[in-house]
Amino acid sequence: NGFWGGPVADMGTYPLNEARMLFDAEPIEVSAHGVRTSDRDFPDTVAVTLVFPDERVAQFTAAYSTAYTESFTLAGSEGIITSSSCYDWGGDVAITWTTTDADGNSSEHRYDPVDQFAGQVEYFVDCVRAGSEPEPSGAEGLCDVRVLAAIEKSLETGESVSLEPYERSWHVSAE
């Protein structure tokens, strides 16, 4: 009743952001299918397909009704990146991933634990004090909401939802 909730709004932003940043593009079509496995008044398990320009596709599932799991796989023509610790956070949570090239050679990677929220808050406060706009800005959040709303519409209608092509001004960089 005026509030937006459920697994898509709650957890969907993380894999959505990951796909948007890795593809450096915005989805042009979404489809979503949900099921209710509890007495909630919304689908508590939702599977989403995102179609990006240049024939790229991303999929994710967000659920309240399953045991906790998190994983990520990016499969491309030159290899695979996988992670089973990619969305969790906290001062004792390390982010790890494996890259495997087309020849089957693998290497492990790791970011040491860091309190992400403390860093984000500190950065935001520094921007406010300096009078500078944070990166990413609120425009970046609007990109997420645009896609999340299309996912919700697909859930309601059972149809794929096309999105107008959109070019964002902010892009992830190594800096």
Side-chain angles (χ1 to χ4, degrees):
N1 303 5
F3 294 97
W4 186 9
V8 172
D10 189 17
M11 298 178 279
T13 303
Y14 302 107
L16 169 59
N17 248 257
E18 190 164 36
R20 290 177 51 244
M21 296 306 131
L22 286 168
F23 286 153
D24 196 24
E26 297 300 313
I28 56 174
E29 183 179 324
V30 303
S31 61
H33 302 280
V35 295
R36 290 187 177 113
T37 61
S38 69
D39 60 356
R40 294 181 172 108
D41 62 351
F42 55 83
D44 55 15
T45 300
V46 179
V48 176
T49 299
L50 307 167
V51 178
F52 287 82
D54 301 322
E55 304 300 320
R56 296 173 293 171
V57 176
Q59 295 178 305
F60 69 86
T61 301
Y64 285 162
S65 59
T66 62
Y68 178 79
T69 183
E70 64 171 300
S71 63
F72 167 81
T73 300
L74 173 67
S77 59
E78 296 181 25
I80 300 170
I81 300 171
T82 59
S83 176
S84 60
S85 64
C86 47
Y87 303 119
D88 214 349
W89 63 86
D92 59 346
V93 176
I95 304 297
T96 60
W97 71 99
T98 302
T99 57
T100 306
D101 66 22
D103 295 325
N105 302 309
S106 294
S107 58
E108 303 289 324
H109 307 273
R110 172 187 165 100
Y111 282 121
D112 289 332
V114 62
D115 185 343
Q116 297 173 25
F117 290 116
Q120 290 173 2
V121 169
E122 182 179 353
Y123 170 72
F124 181 75
V125 168
D126 289 346
C127 287
V128 169
R129 287 180 177 157
S132 60
E133 185 163 330
E135 205 179 320
S137 69
E140 184 65 21
L142 287 175
C143 289
D144 286 332
V145 170
R146 172 181 177 263
V147 178
L148 293 171
I151 293 168
E152 291 290 338
K153 183 175 181 183
S154 178
L155 279 172
E156 290 171 13
T157 65
E159 303 288 330
S160 293
V161 176
S162 294
L163 292 163
E164 291 294 321
Y166 185 80
E167 192 64 37
R168 67 181 186 273
S169 60
W170 183 82
H171 298 271
V172 171
S173 69
E175 292 78 40

